[in-house]
């Protein structure tokens, strides 16, 4: 209960010390508070909102935050209530060392509008450190002839606390030889001296052990002890004598290590080894031992470490001179550190508004910062300016505080960010400066539309493509950033309002990739175009448009189609050749077309099978069948030929045509009936009656075929017109002819077709074969080796590419087959 009561009383005492506010009458208000060290994290300090005269909640609304000069904030601000709390336990000794008072500086920055208040928090010391001796067992060698009243300085105890909590007194254990005398230094802790009260007698007591206790002034007080070992030396009559009791010196704080500070000198009237004197820095604080050194033989005191006027202005050094007999004398060296301008100004950034909108008005505050120069006495006036010519300017706000503002129009597309070099310079001498870079990014506004990389796009897609295949992409760049630069792509409907284009093409709205939604057919559509719109993601979106033209590439997907002789599944038609024909006689011509274009439509003809391979030949280029030799009497009457028609695509496609060639004696008498030579070795001349019947039946079949073909053609034409309405709508530049073959100088199929007569083998009736004029707009089914049509026409627009190629007119059809 007593311990709890004591803690409660201590907390109340701390609370009574904690907080007071002092508003100074200057160019800006400075708020001052006081706290005790070792306060726990989260301890209440003060209500800042109340001290600043702000309403509760204003700090949060104005974006209040704490900014420390040392870039480490020791306090925490509750922006809703305005309460200031300790962020972490404060240790005054680690924060300020021996400096007293210990004051922490920081600023309270309000962002909207931008405003700052300087705050000073004084950290009071508590007695949390006990005095300690660096040397726990010091050794003193004192001659037995030392006169009464001689003084022997002892090592100072070190106490990290300050004021009353620091070192206050020394006590000595009871003894008959010495008493203790406490002395003060002009700079540094108190130290004690042993004063000899009773003569020493080495023969009676060669060694004296003492205990010294250092006590601070805390409540309760704390202490530290050291055990002194005094060794009594044999008789040495004379003690070294310094030439001065106190030596004084001035040293510039920027002096190099090893610089001479002062030379001390001592003499001894003894002779021999008792006259030899050595010098040492005896019983000095650790800070002095790290800063100075002495030559044991010459007495030269030199710098060992750097000096800093801003940290320590004077040093009080104890010098000890010891002769060869162990007698020693002491003197002091007072060193005054002379300040020089060796510290450049220090720039502390309080707040930076980044990123900054590119449409910010002039005089917009970009950053707040302060400048401090530790060389207060010699640094002179501080000048602040910008290193480069940038659209910014520095303006002073109050003493040693400045603001960075805009003074010209900003453009993010021209410069997206600035590294602003702020130069803080003192007037010396010598003049020193500090450069601090403030990075300010410029935020974007939507002031640039997307721009396509090309004025128009031409894409290609091969026919028979897979659905949803990627065919290309469009790309637009936007000079803006973020959402303002996020481009979305869309397809625009045609001006006519027909939305059929969306059935053929799809676009990825995120990356502009274009996909063909369905399989393309070159024979139906060769090219089309549409418009793509690119829109950015800004609040007020901007857009641009581009025209995309898609060209369909031909693929070898159509087999050659035999136009003559007709391959309609019935018995092949017969061609007549007189037996008197000479070698090279033109028997007939195979006519074929290919629905593809270019190289895919180039046709070649080859004799695949024949009754007699040595009797007939086929012209590879034009499909003409000619005799290779004169017909002999022994040659069979019926010659069966199979012709291979092949295009030049990759891979090549082909089809075959079968025909019979009848070897006759002449054309003067009609061959109404033909019998197999193996069964009927003699030729038979049918009567006129059978010829008339055959003509009548053939005429009826012909009329019936024409009627059926016409009906099918009308149905297919209507069906194909409905199917390709979209293509005809979008591609006005694609002409689809209605004639099978155009008339021209290179030959045509416009000549009247002759009649030929043949008899079917193995029948009792005579037939006539009629080579009719090729009908325009004749529809051919797809995928059966016959020619495809474009928009309902019998052949593609380029009739020359669909004719069989040959040396005579590049695939023209001979007139005798027209």
């Amino acid at each position: 209960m007593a311990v709890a009561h004591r803690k409660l009383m201590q907390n109340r005492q701390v609370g009574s010390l904690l907080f007071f506010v002092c508003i100074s009458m200057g160019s800006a208000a400075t708020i001052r508070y006081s706290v005790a060290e070792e306060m726990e994290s989260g301890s209440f300090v003060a209500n800042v909102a109340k001290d600043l005269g702000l309403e509760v909640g204003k700090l949060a609304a104005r974006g209040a935050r704490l900014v420390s000069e040392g870039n480490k904030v020791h306090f925490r601000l509750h922006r809703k209530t305005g309460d200031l709390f300790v962020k972490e336990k404060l240790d005054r000794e680690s924060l300020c060392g021996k400096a007293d008072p210990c004051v922490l500086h920081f600023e309270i920055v309000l962002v909207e509008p931008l405003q700052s208040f300087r705050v000073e928090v004084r950290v009071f010391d508590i007695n949390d450190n006990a005095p300690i001796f660096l040397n726990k067992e010091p050794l003193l060698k004192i001659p037995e002839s030392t006169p009464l009243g001689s003084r022997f300085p002892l090592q100072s105890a070190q106490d990290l606390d300050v004021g009353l909590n620091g070192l206050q007194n020394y006590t000595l254990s009871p003894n008959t030889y010495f008493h203790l005398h406490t002395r003060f230094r002009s700079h540094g802790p108190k130290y004690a001296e042993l004063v000899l009260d009773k003569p020493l007698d080495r023969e009676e007591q060669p060694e004296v052990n003492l205990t010294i206790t250092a006590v601070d002034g805390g409540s309760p007080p704390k202490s530290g002890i050291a055990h002194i070992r005094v060794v009594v030396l044999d008789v040495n009559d004379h003690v070294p004598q310094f030439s001065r009791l106190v030596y004084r010196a001035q040293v510039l704080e920027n002096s190099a290590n090893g610089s001479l500070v002062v030379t001390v000198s001592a003499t001894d009237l003894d002779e021999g080894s008792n006259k030899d004197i050595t010098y040492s820095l005896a019983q000095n604080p650790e800070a002095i031992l790290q800063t100075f050194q002495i030559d044991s033989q010459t007495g030269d005191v030199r710098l060992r470490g750097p000096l800093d006027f801003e940290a320590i202005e004077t040093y009080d050094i104890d010098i000890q001179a010891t002769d060869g007999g162990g007698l020693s004398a002491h003197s002091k060296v007072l060193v005054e550190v002379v300040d020089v301008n060796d510290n450049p100004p220090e720039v502390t950034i309080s707040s930076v508004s980044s990123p900054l909108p590119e449409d910010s008005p002039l005089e917009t505050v970009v950053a707040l910062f302060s400048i401090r120069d530790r060389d207060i006495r010699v640094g002179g006036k501080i000048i602040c300016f910008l290193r480069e010519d940038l659209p910014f300017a520095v303006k002073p706000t109050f003493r040693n505080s400045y603001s960075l503002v805009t003074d010209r129009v900003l453009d993010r597309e021209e410069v997206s960010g600035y590294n602003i070099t702020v130069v803080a310079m003192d007037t010396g001498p010598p003049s020193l400066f500090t450069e601090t870079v403030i990075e300010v990014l410029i935020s974007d506004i939507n002031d640039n539309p997307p721009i396509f990389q090309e004025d128009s796009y031409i894409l290609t897609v091969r026919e028979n493509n897979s659905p949803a295949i990627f065919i290309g992409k469009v790309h637009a760049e936007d000079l803006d950033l973020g959402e303002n630069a996020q481009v979305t792509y869309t397809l625009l409907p045609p001006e006519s309002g027909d939305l059929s284009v969306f059935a053929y093409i799809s676009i990825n709205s995120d990356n502009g990739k274009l996909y063909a939604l369905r399989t393309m057919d070159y024979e139906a559509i060769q090219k089309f175009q549409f418009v793509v719109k690119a829109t950015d993601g800004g609040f007020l979106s901007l857009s641009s448009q581009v025209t995309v033209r898609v060209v369909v590439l031909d693929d070898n997907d159509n087999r050659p189609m035999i136009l003559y002789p007709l391959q309609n599944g019935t018995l092949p038609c017969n061609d007549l050749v007189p037996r008197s024909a000479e070698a090279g006689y033109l028997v007939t011509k195979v006519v074929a077309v290919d629905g593809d274009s270019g190289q895919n439509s180039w046709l070649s003809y080859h004799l695949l099978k024949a009754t007699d391979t040595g009797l007939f030949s086929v012209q590879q280029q034009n499909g003409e069948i000619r005799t290779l030799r004169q017909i002999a009497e022994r040659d069979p009457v019926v010659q069966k030929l199979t012709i291979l028609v092949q295009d030049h695509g990759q891979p090549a496609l082909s089809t075959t045509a079968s025909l019979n060639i009848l070897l006759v004696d002449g054309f003067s008498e009609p061959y109404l009936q033909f019998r197999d030579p193996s069964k009927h070795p003699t030729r038979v001349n049918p009567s006129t009656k059978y010829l008339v019947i055959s003509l009548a039946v053939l005429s009826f079949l012909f009329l019936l075929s024409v009627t059926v073909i016409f009906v099918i053609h009308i149905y297919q034409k209507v069906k194909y017109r409905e199917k390709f309405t979209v293509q005809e709508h979008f591609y006005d530049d694609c002409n689809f002819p209605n004639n099978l073959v155009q008339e021209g100088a290179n030959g045509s199929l416009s000549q009247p077709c002759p009649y030929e007569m043949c008899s079917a083998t193995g029948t009792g009736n005579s037939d006539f074969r009629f080579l009719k004029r090729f009908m325009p707009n004749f529809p051919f089914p797809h995928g059966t080796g016959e020619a495809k049509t474009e928009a309902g026409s019998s052949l593609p627009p380029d009739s020359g590419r669909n004719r069989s190629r040959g040396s005579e007119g590049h695939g023209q059809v001979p007139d005798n087959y027209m």
Side-chain angles (χ1 to χ4, degrees):
M1 292 296 292
V3 175
H5 179 71
R6 184 164 59 253
K7 289 185 177 180
L8 180 60
M9 292 300 295
Q10 290 178 354
N11 292 335
R12 290 181 177 178
Q13 291 175 0
V14 171
S16 63
L17 288 174
L18 281 181
F19 319 115
F20 67 93
V21 180
C22 179
I23 307 299
S24 63
M25 301 301 292
S27 58
T30 300
I31 306 173
R32 294 184 174 88
Y33 299 110
S34 296
V35 297
E37 69 168 325
E38 302 298 328
M39 288 184 63
E40 294 296 331
S41 175
S43 298
F44 175 80
V45 177
N47 187 282
V48 175
K50 180 179 179 181
D51 297 336
L52 295 179
L54 299 176
E55 297 178 2
V56 176
K58 284 294 185 178
L59 292 178
R62 296 184 62 181
R65 60 190 180 91
L66 303 182
V67 178
S68 175
E69 292 182 355
N71 296 327
K72 183 176 182 181
V73 179
H74 301 282
F75 302 91
R76 177 172 57 86
L77 178 63
H78 193 291
R79 294 193 294 182
K80 292 185 178 180
T81 62
D83 293 334
L84 185 67
F85 300 94
V86 176
K87 185 177 182 181
E88 59 184 9
K89 185 182 290 186
L90 301 177
D91 186 4
R92 193 207 64 80
E93 286 73 26
S94 62
L95 294 175
C96 301
K98 298 294 290 184
D100 188 29
C102 178
V103 180
L104 301 180
H105 301 274
F106 61 92
E107 292 184 12
I108 299 176
V109 178
L110 305 180
V111 178
E112 297 178 358
L114 199 57
Q115 188 178 8
S116 67
F117 300 89
R118 298 180 68 87
V119 179
E120 294 180 359
V121 179
R122 180 175 179 180
V123 181
F124 284 99
D125 183 58
I126 64 173
N127 190 26
D128 58 342
N129 294 280
I132 60 173
F133 291 91
L134 298 180
N135 187 357
K136 298 292 185 180
E137 296 182 357
L139 175 63
L140 292 179
K141 295 181 180 181
I142 303 176
E144 61 179 342
S145 61
T146 302
L148 298 179
S150 297
R151 298 173 180 267
F152 304 93
L154 301 176
Q155 173 192 11
S156 298
Q158 306 293 320
D159 192 339
L160 298 179
D161 296 324
V162 295
L164 292 176
N165 296 325
L167 177 64
Q168 298 297 321
N169 198 8
Y170 295 92
T171 60
L172 187 65
S173 61
N175 67 94
T176 59
Y177 292 98
F178 301 93
H179 76 272
L180 204 60
H181 178 70
T182 302
R183 300 192 65 179
F184 298 85
R185 286 190 175 95
S186 59
H187 179 77
K190 298 177 182 180
Y191 68 99
E193 294 179 339
L194 284 179
V195 181
L196 186 59
D197 293 332
K198 178 182 178 181
L200 298 174
D201 187 357
R202 190 188 67 81
E203 288 72 19
E204 180 181 352
Q205 187 174 353
E207 185 173 314
V208 179
N209 293 314
L210 305 173
T211 299
I212 184 172
T213 303
V215 182
D216 63 19
S219 178
K222 294 184 178 182
S223 62
I225 62 174
H227 300 286
I228 304 173
R229 182 184 171 203
V230 179
V231 177
V232 181
L233 301 178
D234 203 8
V235 174
N236 187 11
D237 297 332
H238 297 90
V239 177
Q241 299 292 323
F242 280 96
S243 60
R244 297 181 187 176
L245 293 178
V246 177
Y247 294 85
R248 299 181 183 275
Q250 289 185 338
V251 183
L252 297 177
E253 66 172 324
N254 61 350
S255 298
N257 291 346
S259 299
L260 180 64
V261 177
V262 69
T263 299
V264 297
S265 177
T267 59
D268 195 309
L269 298 178
D270 294 326
E271 295 292 337
S273 63
N274 292 330
K275 189 178 181 179
D276 297 335
I277 298 176
T278 57
Y279 301 93
S280 63
L281 300 179
Q283 311 301 330
N284 285 283
E286 186 67 21
I288 293 178
L289 297 178
Q290 293 179 355
T291 307
F292 299 93
Q293 61 184 356
I294 189 170
D295 190 305
S296 62
Q297 301 300 321
T298 63
D300 293 340
V301 179
R302 296 181 180 274
L303 286 179
R304 182 179 183 182
L307 300 176
D308 188 358
F309 175 83
E310 287 70 32
I312 301 177
E313 298 183 9
T314 59
Y315 291 90
D316 189 347
I317 308 173
D318 288 326
I319 306 296
Q320 177 176 293
T322 305
D323 61 19
L327 296 179
S328 61
H330 295 83
S331 180
K332 289 185 176 297
V333 176
L334 298 180
V335 179
E336 180 182 353
V337 181
V338 179
D339 188 22
V340 297
N341 189 32
D342 61 342
N343 291 285
E346 299 176 358
V347 178
T348 301
I349 306 298
S350 301
S351 179
V352 177
S353 295
S354 179
L356 190 68
E358 61 178 320
D359 59 346
S360 298
L362 301 181
E363 300 295 328
T364 298
V365 177
V366 179
L368 294 176
F369 59 93
S370 60
I371 302 176
R372 181 171 69 101
D373 195 335
R374 299 178 63 189
D375 297 319
I376 302 175
R377 302 177 184 176
V378 296
K381 183 179 179 181
I382 296 177
I383 302 173
C384 184
F385 58 91
L386 300 183
R387 173 67 70 185
E388 300 173 344
D389 183 19
L390 299 176
F392 301 94
V394 174
K395 288 190 174 183
T397 54
F398 47 88
R399 186 174 180 269
N400 294 333
S401 295
Y402 301 85
S403 62
L404 182 68
V405 299
T406 59
D407 68 344
R408 292 201 297 271
V409 177
L410 304 176
D411 186 0
R412 191 209 63 81
E413 286 70 38
E414 182 178 349
V415 180
S416 61
Y418 295 90
N419 288 326
I420 307 170
T421 303
V422 178
V423 181
M425 179 183 295
D426 59 26
T427 56
S431 180
L432 302 177
F433 66 90
T434 298
E435 292 186 352
T436 302
V437 177
I438 300 176
E439 182 180 3
V440 177
L441 301 178
I442 307 303
S443 61
D444 184 53
I445 63 172
N446 192 26
D447 56 350
N448 292 279
I451 302 299
F452 283 96
Q453 291 181 339
E454 300 182 17
D455 296 335
S456 63
Y457 291 83
I458 298 179
L459 306 178
T460 59
V461 57
R462 186 166 294 278
E463 68 168 328
N464 301 320
N465 58 283
S466 300
I469 190 173
F470 170 74
I471 63 173
K473 68 178 295 185
V474 296
H475 183 69
E477 293 286 348
D478 197 309
L479 296 179
D480 296 320
L481 286 179
E483 294 183 356
N484 297 330
Q486 293 180 358
V487 180
T488 302
Y489 303 90
T490 55
L491 295 179
L492 293 183
E495 296 181 357
S496 61
D498 190 350
L499 302 180
S500 302
V501 67
F502 299 116
Y504 289 87
I505 292 296
S506 174
I507 189 170
N508 189 315
S509 61
D510 296 328
N511 53 30
K513 290 185 177 181
L514 293 165
Y515 299 89
L517 294 180
R518 60 175 57 182
T519 302
M520 300 292 178
D521 187 358
Y522 176 84
E523 288 70 38
I525 181 172
Q526 287 82 40
K527 54 188 174 181
F528 59 92
Q529 68 182 29
F530 52 88
V531 178
V532 176
K533 179 180 180 182
T535 306
D536 61 28
F539 176 69
L540 298 176
S541 61
L542 303 176
S543 63
S544 60
Q545 301 178 5
V546 71
T547 300
V548 181
R549 186 180 183 90
V550 179
V551 178
V552 181
L553 301 179
D554 183 40
D555 200 0
N556 191 28
D557 58 345
N558 292 283
R559 295 181 180 275
M561 183 184 69
I562 306 299
L563 298 181
Y564 181 82
L566 293 176
Q567 306 291 307
N568 54 8
T570 62
L571 292 176
C573 187
N574 300 319
D575 287 290
L576 305 180
V577 178
R579 288 183 173 271
S580 60
E582 299 293 333
Y585 177 81
L586 177 62
V587 178
T588 185
K589 180 176 181 179
V590 177
V591 181
V593 294
D594 195 305
D596 297 318
S597 64
Q599 181 174 319
N600 296 329
S601 65
W602 298 351
L603 303 179
S604 60
Y605 302 83
H606 307 276
L607 181 60
L608 186 62
K609 293 170 54 179
T611 302
D612 187 351
T613 58
L615 182 57
F616 299 99
S617 66
V618 179
Q619 292 293 324
Q620 183 177 354
Q621 290 79 15
N622 55 23
E624 292 181 352
I625 301 176
R626 296 178 181 271
T627 59
L628 290 175
R629 59 178 174 80
Q630 189 174 7
I631 299 174
E633 191 68 26
R634 65 179 180 276
D635 291 332
V637 175
V638 178
Q639 298 287 330
K640 296 182 179 181
L641 304 180
T642 301
I643 308 302
L644 174 69
V645 183
Q646 186 178 38
D647 59 26
H648 287 71
Q650 294 295 332
L653 301 178
S654 62
T655 188
T656 58
S658 300
L659 69 155
N660 290 339
I661 298 177
L662 305 181
L663 303 182
V664 299
D665 291 333
F667 294 110
S668 58
E669 56 183 64
Y671 287 76
L672 301 179
Q673 184 177 5
F674 178 80
R675 295 183 181 181
D676 191 341
S678 61
K679 297 180 179 181
H680 305 280
T682 59
R683 291 190 294 271
V684 178
N685 294 325
S687 63
T688 306
K689 178 179 68 175
Y690 291 101
L691 177 61
V692 173
I693 294 173
S694 299
L695 287 174
V697 172
L698 186 60
S699 299
F700 173 78
L701 295 174
F702 172 75
L703 292 176
L704 180 62
S705 300
V706 170
T707 302
V708 172
I709 291 173
F710 180 78
V711 172
I712 294 174
H713 168 67
I714 295 300
Y715 172 77
Q716 292 286 354
K717 187 173 183 180
V718 172
K719 181 179 180 180
Y720 274 76
R721 285 187 181 277
E722 293 177 351
K723 179 178 181 180
F724 296 105
T725 301
V726 176
Q727 290 88 334
E728 293 176 355
H729 175 74
F730 281 102
Y731 317 115
D732 295 336
D733 55 343
C734 300
N735 299 320
F736 301 96
N738 294 322
N739 294 326
L740 175 65
V741 180
Q742 297 178 353
E743 297 180 0
N746 293 329
S748 65
L749 298 177
S750 61
Q751 301 297 327
C753 299
Y755 292 89
E756 291 189 50
M757 181 180 65
C758 65
S759 63
T761 304
T763 62
N765 297 324
S766 298
D767 296 326
F768 288 92
R769 181 162 61 92
F770 172 64
L771 296 180
K772 67 181 181 67
R773 183 184 183 90
F774 292 109
M775 296 183 63
N777 301 326
F778 184 81
F780 294 100
H782 292 197
T784 60
E786 298 177 349
K788 288 186 178 181
T789 62
E790 293 184 13
S793 63
S794 299
L795 290 174
D798 187 3
S799 60
R801 74 186 182 196
N802 293 325
R803 303 192 203 106
S804 60
R805 299 181 59 201
S807 60
E808 299 179 10
H810 299 285
Q812 300 176 9
V813 180
D815 292 341
N816 62 328
Y817 287 98
M818 297 305 208

